[in-house]
Amino acid sequence: MAVISAHCPDIKVVVVDINKGKINAWNSDNLENLPVFEPGLKEVVKKQRNKNLFFSCDIKNAISEADMVFISVNTPTKKKGLGAGYASDLKWVESSAREVAKYSKGHTIVVEKSTVPVRTSELIKEILEGVSKNETGKNEKSFAVLSSPEFLAEGTAIKDLENPDRVLIGGDDINAINQLSKIYENWIPKYKILLTNVWSSELSKLTANAFLAQRVTSINSISALCEPTGAEIKEVASAIGYDSRIGDKFLSAGPGFGGSCFQKDILNLVYLCRYYGLKEVANYWEQVITLNNWQRRRISNLIIEKFYGSVSLKKILILGFAFKANTNDTRESSAISISKDLIENGAQLIIHDPQVKPKQIEYEMGQEINDSSTEGGWQFSKDIYESAIDADALVILTEWETYNNIDWEKLFKIMRRPAWIFDTRNIVPKKKVEILGFKFWGLGKSVIN
Ligand code: UGA
């Protein structure tokens, strides 16, 4: 929305939320307090806020003044009830649609931005049409519903929004499609704006995420085969990436994909396939999740095995807790399950992340910071070198730029021998650290000497 406001000075953008704390943070004078860390975001907010970009809890007014409403709420995996563990929970989409139905005036275009299961627009339409007829008696209100899923990735959100590969608009109301397209055309070439029917649009979003997650899982699965065979995952990824049919992007092996979207969207796809009787298709996609969990477990097991089966009271420095670099988002981060596994085995973790706050880690771990030296706890690291004193190992889980500049010589001097490095993101200079004396394991790197 901030990027829309930057490119469309004549459009007033109002972002509303029921969460007062969040809205206050978006309005905070100190731009470091914005609820989301995203490179380039605070600059856009600073430029546009209170000009044509507003953050408010006054949902009623904002909707009644709006010509177009974007529904951009969470659609997490259902925790209970029908489809629990797989289907997306649409309660926020539904309640947003009800608010729009209640407060809108005249004609309103409703744009589904959240990632939703196929045919959700039908649900929105039903709510909008039902309420407009029942409450007013006559059709004082009218609506057009479009789907326009978001393809930005965290950490590169502003870049992705400024220069997207494509924008998708699904719907059948030509007037509404044109109005939404006109907004995007302020900065996006028209050939990149794709028009489809509403269900193709909804399904394309789920499919894009499923394909991306599958690709990461594919390269991760090969990383496991590289290690015992003498192949190097970076060389394999580069070699296959030269094939223009495969392409070279999204082929970095890692500790398993995280983030709020991939797992949720695949589970949703699995649910939809089962619902439509496509058991084999559902099983195929579910395997991506199974393998992703396996990769995480493989890493924690391997660390434990390198310590001859016990990490009890071992001091292990975890570098990176966010699910990827350049974000403070920890949702579904592989660091969560790997850290929990190590703690369950008695390790004392010291967790470092340049953007994630200790409170957030506490929430994800379901365990408070533990300052004592008892088995199976964790502490927060403010300084890598201080935390590395007498550490038995360090594990790189997020590919933060700052970890490329670690002074390995300094670390080796202060860590306890045998001083292990486990690099799950392939950013550590293997030869250099081995010469210094570290024991080293790198994901997808040959273990044959
Ligand atoms: C993903 C999609 O990339 C976006 O297109 C989509 O809009 C978004 O989900 C969404 O549905 O909202 P995001 O989850 O923010 O974006 O981040 P990604 O860059 O896709 O990374 C996801 C996970 O895969 C991360 O844990 C990352 O470390 C991992 N990954 C990614 C790898 O391990 N290797 C790679 O080569 C790429």
Side-chain angles (χ1 to χ4, degrees):
M1 289 301 127
V3 171
I4 289 184
S5 74
H7 286 285
C8 313
D10 298 333
I11 295 179
K12 179 180 172 189
V13 177
V14 186
V15 179
V16 290
D17 201 297
I18 48 172
N19 185 328
K20 270 197 186 127
K22 256 196 192 150
I23 291 298
N24 287 344
W26 282 111
N27 280 323
S28 168
D29 289 338
N30 182 354
L31 289 160
E32 301 304 323
N33 291 343
L34 297 185
V36 175
F37 169 75
E38 191 61 53
L41 177 64
K42 65 179 180 204
E43 287 79 3
V44 187
V45 171
K46 185 176 174 199
K47 222 170 123 209
Q48 301 306 132
R49 200 171 54 185
N50 299 330
K51 285 196 185 116
N52 67 336
L53 173 65
F54 301 87
F55 297 92
S56 161
C57 286
D58 189 352
I59 296 174
K60 182 179 170 184
N61 247 331
I63 291 178
S64 68
E65 282 179 2
D67 300 305
M68 197 178 277
V69 176
F70 291 78
I71 299 184
S72 316
V73 292
N74 277 349
T75 50
T77 305
K78 272 179 93 169
K79 290 212 170 96
K80 53 184 183 187
L82 188 69
Y86 289 91
S88 284
D89 191 341
L90 295 178
K91 69 172 176 243
W92 302 115
V93 172
E94 206 180 312
S95 59
S96 304
R98 287 192 196 284
E99 300 278 84
V100 177
K102 201 158 137 194
Y103 299 126
S104 63
K105 286 189 180 145
H107 185 67
T108 311
I109 299 170
V110 178
V111 185
E112 205 182 65
K113 263 268 163 234
S114 304
T115 304
V116 290
V118 189
R119 304 196 86 92
T120 301
S121 70
E122 203 115 308
L123 165 90
I124 298 177
K125 262 189 193 157
E126 222 173 86
I127 292 171
L128 296 175
E129 281 162 13
V131 175
S132 69
K133 269 181 203 142
N134 286 346
E135 285 195 350
T136 64
K138 23 185 187 138
N139 274 343
E140 277 172 2
K141 303 179 187 196
S142 59
F143 302 96
V145 180
L146 300 176
S147 153
S148 183
E150 188 49 72
F151 293 101
L152 68 82
E154 289 182 34
T156 53
I158 301 292
K159 211 173 103 230
D160 297 344
L161 287 164
E162 289 288 349
N163 186 21
D165 287 347
R166 79 319 206 169
V167 163
L168 203 51
I169 303 179
D172 51 17
D173 183 317
I174 294 299
N175 179 43
I177 292 170
N178 283 341
Q179 287 197 49
L180 181 56
S181 180
K182 280 261 158 347
I183 294 179
Y184 291 130
E185 283 167 40
N186 278 298
W187 77 99
I188 297 163
K190 208 168 172 181
Y191 75 89
K192 284 190 176 183
I193 303 174
L194 313 182
L195 308 183
T196 65
N197 78 34
V198 75
W199 301 296
S200 300
S201 169
E202 291 173 342
L203 185 57
S204 298
K205 169 70 197 202
L206 289 184
T207 307
N209 273 358
F211 268 58
L212 290 168
Q214 177 210 42
R215 194 173 159 90
V216 172
T217 298
S218 297
I219 201 71
N220 283 347
S221 72
I222 300 300
S223 74
L225 187 58
C226 284
E227 292 155 22
T229 57
E232 297 283 336
I233 195 62
K234 273 197 168 172
E235 291 178 356
V236 175
S238 161
I240 65 167
Y242 268 94
D243 186 324
S244 59
R245 293 166 304 175
I246 296 174
D248 59 0
K249 296 201 179 98
F250 242 69
L251 283 178
S252 305
F257 59 77
S260 63
C261 305
F262 282 177
Q263 175 163 314
K264 166 181 78 87
D265 292 350
I266 290 182
L267 290 171
N268 195 356
L269 195 62
V270 169
Y271 180 75
L272 280 169
C273 292
R274 293 223 166 102
Y275 178 83
Y276 287 104
L278 301 166
K279 196 177 89 194
E280 284 75 10
V281 184
N283 293 346
Y284 170 76
W285 285 109
E286 193 161 28
Q287 195 58 25
V288 173
I289 303 284
T290 307
L291 219 63
N292 197 48
N293 289 332
W294 172 80
Q295 175 80 338
R296 293 164 168 174
R297 185 49 65 85
R298 176 173 99 81
I299 290 167
S300 47
N301 282 349
L302 186 139
I303 296 170
I304 298 163
E305 274 161 23
K306 294 289 183 200
F307 285 102
Y308 303 97
S310 173
V311 287
S312 174
L313 292 174
K314 291 280 181 295
K315 182 173 167 183
I316 301 178
L317 182 53
I318 299 288
L319 296 186
F321 201 78
F323 81 97
K324 63 186 275 195
N326 295 322
T327 176
N328 58 353
D329 195 342
T330 57
R331 285 175 291 175
E332 302 296 339
S333 174
S334 292
I336 303 168
S337 54
I338 293 172
S339 299
K340 280 185 174 172
D341 277 353
L342 294 174
I343 283 184
E344 215 172 276
N345 279 275
Q348 298 167 296
L349 302 188
I350 308 188
I351 302 177
H352 179 272
D353 191 287
Q355 285 298 335
V356 180
K357 303 253 167 13
K359 272 261 163 268
Q360 182 62 21
I361 300 176
E362 214 161 66
Y363 168 79
E364 294 288 14
M365 297 293 287
Q367 184 179 351
E368 285 180 8
I369 292 186
N370 171 350
D371 272 331
S372 71
S373 55
T374 48
E375 279 190 302
W378 72 276
Q379 294 170 36
F380 184 71
S381 164
K382 289 197 189 108
D383 177 86
I384 295 175
Y385 300 98
E386 210 174 277
S387 307
I389 296 171
D390 288 335
D392 297 286
L394 68 84
V395 187
I396 295 191
L397 293 179
T398 312
E399 72 286 20
W400 284 103
E401 177 70 30
T402 175
Y403 301 150
N404 289 327
N405 307 318
I406 288 178
D407 182 343
W408 295 109
E409 211 171 329
K410 188 169 166 186
L411 273 193
F412 188 65
K413 283 188 189 137
I414 54 182
M415 283 175 68
R416 198 158 74 165
R417 304 295 177 262
W420 267 101
I421 295 174
F422 298 94
D423 178 14
T424 72
R425 293 285 189 173
N426 275 313
I427 57 174
V428 177
K430 176 177 191 266
K431 273 201 186 119
K432 184 176 169 181
V433 296
E434 279 180 343
I435 289 170
L436 284 170
F438 279 105
K439 291 262 195 190
F440 178 83
W441 176 87
L443 185 87
K445 284 197 185 302
S446 166
V447 289
I448 302 175
N449 285 318

